[in-house]
Amino acid sequence: MSESIKPHAHDEALGLWRTYVFSTDHKTIAKQYLAIGLFWAIVGGLLAYVMRWQLAYPDTAVPGFGWVPEPSMVGGIVPPEFYNMVVTMHGTIMVFFVAMPILLGAFGNFLIPLMIGARDMAFPRLNMLSVWTLALSSLVLLISFFVPGGAAASGWTAYPPLSAKAIYTGVEWGQNLWIIALALEFASFLMGGINFLTTTINMRAPGLSLFRLPLMIWMQFTAAVLFMLSVGPLIAGAVMLLLDRLAGTSFFLPEGGGQPLLWQHLFWFFGHPEVYVIMLPGMGASLEILPVFSRKPIFGYRPIVYSTIAAGLLSFLVWAHHMFPSGMDPRLAMPFSITTILISVPFAIIVFAMIATLWRGSIRFPTPMLFALGTLTVFIVGGLTGIFNGSAPADIYIHDTYFVVAHFHYTLFSAIFFGGFAAIYYWYPKMFGRMMHETLGKIHFWMTFVFFNAVFFPMFFLGAGGMMRRIANPLQYDFLKPLQPLNIFITIGAILLFLGQLPFVVNFLWSLWAGEKAASNPWAANTLEWTTPSPPPHSNFEVIPVVHRGPYEYSSPEAPEDWFPQDRPVQARPATAG
Amino acid sequence: MLSWLPENVSTYGGDIDSILYLIYYITGAWFFLTLGTIVLFLFLYRRREGRPATYVHGNTLDQSAWILVPVVIVLGLDLWIDFRGAEVWEAVKGHMPPADVRVQLTAKQFNWEILYPGPDGQFGTADDLQLDNELHVPVGKVARVTLKSKDVIHSFFLPNLRLKQDVVPGREIEAWFEATKPGVYEIPCAELCGFGHSGMVGHLTVHSADDYEAWLKRTWPSPQSSSARLSAISGEPEDRRP
Ligand SMILES: [Cu+2]
Ligand SMILES: [Cu+2]
């Protein structure tokens, strides 16, 4: 603790290793999380490309994948067991190794100390341990691709008995390593969560009361609480699954007296809150950005905070909506249906508040704002289509179809990618001290927005048509043959969506060296991170700021400009932007 | 979107479709309302020189009414969907109508093994017959399927009948349907079940009454009349699922 409180005046003395690799600085750690997340995003995206190619042109060679050795792929052709592996690893990677590292690992770590006026996280060494545990977890997951039998192939949900016995999938160590990688990932984010909570509770700058916290911090805080409360049962489940595989116990195997549905309860008790663990920080980024570029206070700060807490609590009471056709007692369906559909109320409040924030604003459209608006609009579609899944009788039909795939991409893609990109474009100047290129950013946004919708909106039609998820070849079914033009359309969209990320990669790397130098507050924003230099030095603040007001005082009549930083005393002479 | 639904040929499929349509119209209206408002606001309130943003927090009651009133409407529509959904769920899953024909379906990697009781209507007798991936039922009769699995979880999916039921090893799960139109319909497996999951598909043949008699005669070429079989197993008391 003491390490985090006294400023480090001796950065240079730390040496290369301690500065860039085994660093305890939350900002460096945040960049390490970002690097891990972006690396896996490329892998996850390539897996999606393999999947989409196979679905559009079944059993033809995937262009660019001829190098993958047999028996994984045969001359670039995807065998069905390889397809199952691709499906499984795409989901696992995107949820656990892209979404959580970027949204929580990178932006939670970067923003919590800066936004609350602290010099670092409460436990900087634990923070370093968290990111290195994630690195180890990533390594284990990476190795699992190369063991005999390949990586896990039982879906990212790993339902037993399929996942519990090697003979059912032919995957031996791949699945074991998958469980171990996930266990390490959970350990990493549990340690991270301890830091998020302790830091937010104990280390806020003087005057920064809970209701003056930026909403991003509320979202990170709630996400950490949800994760820590929900992950316990799944860790227990994961240990049981590993024992079933390695020690021949039968927790989930009926022939030994076990119960396959037990896993589903444990998994989804975690799984639904996990969706919000990812979603809340993504929405948090938009909630920060919308007021800045509307030059208006956020509309309904407190209702948003209360709704976030309410949605978090409700998320523990909805898990069985993933199990309506599972064979659980049908009398359970209606209570879970009602709680699920009621969760639309707090999210409706947040969405209406975001829309009302635009009302009578003075709106500009730089890249971060475009992505924040993308998050909002894409999330609306995801939220609305969730009602279909939440209604038990409707779910009978659409369960396990592409309708569900479309729905959760509209919710998760909005958080991970639109929210994540919004955050990157917005905070990049603070993180790296340089601006990203605006035109490249706009090209990136429009390609992402247009092709995202071209890929995922038609999937609602596929789902209505009855196409099951996780099938490798739709042409094996007569009733799906008329849907094939849609599958081809989606695949072309997916390739363009993938190519649409190139401007981002170029922009991100090019701006690191050649981007215009960033002022300390390029967006004229109020929150505390913008009072530090870009990038902030080790231990962030020369003097710990004193907070005088809430984070969204834009266009206030009390301030001479249309912004009013949280730390500016009322009588003080206004500083110039930047 | 819902025009992509495959033709419904079951008695309760209409109910399930009506829920899908109810949610479709409600969410569709919200889709246009919210996105329309956003586009309108983005256009109306785009940055203009000399037009500052309005300083408003939305924390007072009259301001937050702009949020609260739509939210009350959301809540009302939610409850509508819930209560209408509960009725349909009760009709489809809440009770088991008396069965006219019964089969046992055992899923395994990667087939549906369908066991017919034969003319005597009893399982476990000599005239039982197993057909792989071929399910035959008469039109307009209640068919009850007892679902079992030999290995992993599969999911018995009849898109045209709006029926989906997971098949769980170690359990016997009952499902029912009544087909309204003769024809041949596919029975894909809807739960990832291993490398042969894709392509695990059976066929449901819904026979007209005459056609069904003919199929019974062909399949069990014995003197015993098949109509006796039908009456022998119908009329059992209605039971409820636990
Ligand atoms: Cu859920
Ligand atoms: Cu199957």
Side-chain angles (χ1 to χ4, degrees):
Chain A
M1 191 74 129
S2 63
E3 192 185 359
S4 63
I5 286 168
K6 64 170 196 290
H8 296 256
H10 46 269
D11 257 31
E12 320 77 45
L14 286 173
L16 216 62
W17 273 114
R18 290 292 310 278
T19 312
Y20 295 106
V21 185
F22 295 107
S23 168
T24 55
D25 181 354
H26 71 102
K27 299 180 294 295
T28 306
I29 290 174
K31 289 175 197 167
Q32 291 169 335
Y33 273 112
L34 188 63
I36 293 175
L38 290 175
F39 163 75
W40 281 115
I42 294 168
V43 178
L46 284 173
L47 293 174
Y49 159 68
V50 173
M51 245 191 293
R52 279 317 316 174
W53 185 271
Q54 163 67 16
L55 288 169
Y57 310 106
D59 304 334
T60 61
V62 182
F65 275 75
W67 54 273
V68 179
E70 291 184 37
S72 297
M73 288 175 98
V74 185
I77 293 172
V78 181
E81 56 274 28
F82 186 76
Y83 184 85
N84 291 349
M85 187 275 277
V86 170
V87 168
T88 303
M89 297 310 278
H90 169 76
T92 304
I93 287 169
M94 288 303 192
V95 171
F96 294 113
F97 293 87
V98 178
M100 292 183 68
I102 292 181
L103 294 172
L104 285 105
F107 287 102
N109 260 303
F110 187 74
L111 292 174
I112 290 176
L114 281 171
M115 282 185 141
I116 69 170
R119 297 203 183 278
D120 204 320
M121 283 286 191
F123 310 111
R125 279 165 201 279
L126 186 70
N127 207 15
M128 180 173 84
L129 185 60
S130 311
V131 75
W132 282 102
T133 307
L134 183 70
L136 181 63
S137 160
S138 292
L139 187 68
V140 172
L141 197 75
L142 204 59
I143 288 170
S144 83
F145 280 94
F146 302 100
V147 295
S154 59
W156 83 279
T157 52
Y159 281 8
L162 187 66
S163 59
K165 266 192 183 176
I167 48 160
Y168 291 142
T169 50
V171 176
E172 188 67 62
W173 268 91
Q175 186 79 50
N176 300 344
L177 293 176
W178 181 90
I179 298 172
I180 293 166
L182 247 56
L184 287 168
E185 203 264 7
F186 295 156
S188 160
F189 280 94
L190 275 172
M191 292 186 283
I194 291 169
N195 251 325
F196 281 27
L197 301 192
T198 316
T199 309
T200 311
I201 292 169
N202 289 325
M203 296 172 65
R204 280 171 284 127
L208 188 55
S209 61
L210 285 179
F211 283 111
R212 283 178 177 175
L213 277 179
L215 287 167
M216 181 62 157
I217 303 301
W218 271 106
M219 295 291 168
Q220 294 281 354
F221 186 88
T222 314
V225 171
L226 293 184
F227 180 78
M228 294 172 85
L229 290 181
S230 65
V231 80
L234 185 59
I235 292 177
V239 171
M240 288 148 88
L241 188 59
L242 196 61
L243 286 173
D244 273 9
R245 290 182 66 86
L246 294 179
T249 55
S250 291
F251 290 109
F252 303 120
L253 294 169
E255 58 270 30
Q259 171 52 269
L261 286 195
L262 174 61
W263 169 266
Q264 297 186 24
H265 285 290
L266 297 173
F267 186 90
W268 290 117
F269 181 81
F270 162 78
H272 196 90
E274 169 69 8
V275 173
Y276 297 169
V277 170
I278 294 168
M279 235 166 63
L280 294 179
M283 297 187 89
S286 324
L287 285 164
E288 291 304 320
I289 292 166
L290 290 175
V292 173
F293 297 107
S294 306
R295 308 315 287 168
K296 249 193 88 196
I298 195 89
F299 194 91
Y301 177 99
R302 283 185 187 230
I304 292 174
V305 170
Y306 296 138
S307 299
T308 306
I309 295 169
L313 290 175
L314 265 176
S315 76
F316 287 100
L317 303 172
V318 299
W319 78 88
H321 62 213
H322 297 270
M323 299 172 62
F324 289 142
S326 70
M328 68 171 185
D329 190 323
R331 289 171 304 176
L332 281 174
M334 271 306 130
F336 277 102
S337 208
I338 290 168
T339 52
T340 301
I341 292 180
L342 282 184
I343 227 167
S344 62
V345 171
F347 279 112
I349 292 177
I350 297 174
V351 165
F352 293 148
M354 287 165 115
I355 297 176
T357 301
L358 301 172
W359 175 72
R360 295 179 69 176
S362 174
I363 304 170
R364 285 183 301 133
F365 299 96
T367 311
M369 182 62 165
L370 291 176
F371 274 101
L373 291 167
T375 313
L376 171 63
T377 48
V378 169
F379 174 74
I380 286 173
V381 177
L384 288 173
T385 50
I387 307 269
F388 289 85
N389 306 307
S391 169
D395 185 65
I396 294 175
Y397 180 71
I398 58 175
H399 193 91
D400 272 333
T401 67
Y402 266 79
F403 194 96
V404 177
V405 177
H407 158 72
F408 67 68
H409 280 93
Y410 265 92
T411 52
L412 292 185
F413 201 109
S414 73
I416 305 173
F417 290 99
F418 285 100
F421 285 135
I424 290 173
Y425 282 104
Y426 182 66
W427 280 294
Y428 188 97
K430 189 54 63 184
M431 279 185 133
F432 299 102
R434 293 186 185 262
M435 305 300 287
M436 289 181 87
H437 194 272
E438 190 55 30
T439 311
L440 277 176
K442 287 207 164 92
I443 294 171
H444 175 223
F445 169 76
W446 284 110
M447 289 186 77
T448 305
F449 188 76
V450 170
F451 296 128
F452 167 81
N453 285 296
V455 170
F456 292 101
F457 208 82
M459 284 192 191
F460 289 117
F461 307 157
L462 287 181
M467 180 169 160
M468 297 77 66
R469 57 193 287 208
R470 295 169 170 173
I471 55 166
N473 183 354
L475 298 179
Q476 287 169 310
Y477 307 84
D478 288 331
F479 80 107
L480 296 181
K481 282 177 185 155
L483 301 176
Q484 198 56 17
L486 271 182
N487 271 316
I488 293 171
F489 178 84
I490 290 170
T491 295
I492 294 168
I495 292 169
L496 292 171
L497 178 61
F498 195 78
L499 293 178
Q501 306 314 303
L502 284 179
F504 170 74
V505 176
V506 171
N507 197 352
F508 191 98
L509 297 175
W510 178 83
S511 301
L512 279 181
W513 315 111
E516 182 194 332
K517 279 236 187 319
S520 68
N521 190 359
W523 314 118
N526 288 343
T527 39
L528 294 178
E529 76 272 28
W530 302 109
T531 64
T532 64
S534 300
H538 207 292
S539 64
N540 302 341
F541 299 92
E542 233 164 86
V543 184
I544 293 295
V546 176
V547 172
H548 298 279
R549 63 190 62 79
Y552 305 114
E553 293 300 298
Y554 294 100
S555 303
S556 161
E558 287 173 50
E561 305 108 330
D562 64 355
W563 52 301
F564 205 3
Q566 281 190 280
D567 68 336
R568 184 185 297 165
V570 183
Q571 302 303 336
R573 181 184 312 208
T576 40
Chain B
M1 182 188 291
L2 293 181
S3 57
W4 293 83
L5 285 171
E7 184 191 12
N8 162 49
V9 297
S10 79
T11 48
Y12 52 59
D15 279 336
I16 289 179
D17 288 358
S18 76
I19 284 288
L20 287 170
Y21 274 100
L22 175 70
I23 302 173
Y24 178 65
Y25 288 125
I26 291 176
T27 55
W30 278 113
F31 173 79
F32 286 110
L33 212 66
T34 49
L35 290 182
T37 311
I38 291 171
V39 171
L40 190 71
F41 283 3
L42 293 181
F43 176 74
L44 286 179
Y45 306 119
R46 69 194 183 282
R47 182 187 170 84
R48 287 272 185 80
E49 261 338 297
R51 189 181 65 183
T54 308
Y55 180 70
V56 48
H57 285 89
N59 282 332
T60 63
L61 197 63
D62 61 317
Q63 288 168 356
S64 53
W66 287 100
I67 295 182
L68 292 177
V69 171
V71 162
V72 169
I73 300 171
V74 168
L75 182 65
L77 293 170
D78 280 357
L79 293 174
W80 185 16
I81 293 169
D82 278 330
F83 284 112
R84 182 74 190 97
E87 286 170 32
V88 173
W89 183 260
E90 176 59 26
V92 180
K93 291 276 186 174
H95 74 288
M96 277 280 157
D100 295 317
V101 288
R102 308 190 64 140
V103 293
Q104 292 187 356
L105 180 146
T106 305
K108 66 165 194 193
Q109 289 179 321
F110 299 95
N111 275 306
W112 308 112
E113 296 177 349
I114 294 156
L115 187 70
Y116 296 85
D120 65 354
Q122 302 291 322
F123 288 105
T125 54
D127 63 349
D128 288 8
L129 180 73
Q130 182 187 312
L131 297 176
D132 279 0
N133 298 320
E134 293 296 325
L135 177 54
H136 294 262
V137 297
V139 71
K141 299 282 183 195
V142 173
R144 181 159 336 160
V145 188
T146 305
L147 299 162
K148 295 183 273 193
S149 170
K150 281 184 178 166
D151 38 45
V152 301
I153 298 174
H154 301 264
S155 191
F156 178 67
F157 183 25
L158 278 166
N160 293 90
L161 289 105
R162 310 293 190 261
L163 170 60
K164 188 180 288 121
Q165 176 61 58
D166 286 3
V167 186
V168 183
R171 297 268 305 273
E172 285 191 13
I173 297 171
E174 302 273 323
W176 73 278
F177 61 86
E178 181 182 334
T180 56
K181 187 181 166 192
V184 179
Y185 309 99
E186 278 169 303
I187 317 173
C189 173
E191 182 72 59
L192 180 63
C193 59
F195 69 86
H197 167 58
S198 189
M200 177 169 170
V201 60
H203 290 92
L204 166 72
T205 309
V206 178
H207 296 274
S208 65
D210 294 346
D211 205 27
Y212 187 64
E213 287 297 317
W215 177 77
L216 287 176
K217 284 213 181 73
R218 266 202 321 276
T219 314
W220 286 274
S222 67
Q224 211 174 341
S225 123
S226 51
S227 52
R229 170 184 170 267
L230 267 184
S231 55
I233 55 160
S234 58
E236 65 189 288
E238 177 166 321
D239 58 348
R240 297 183 69 89
R241 299 186 58 168

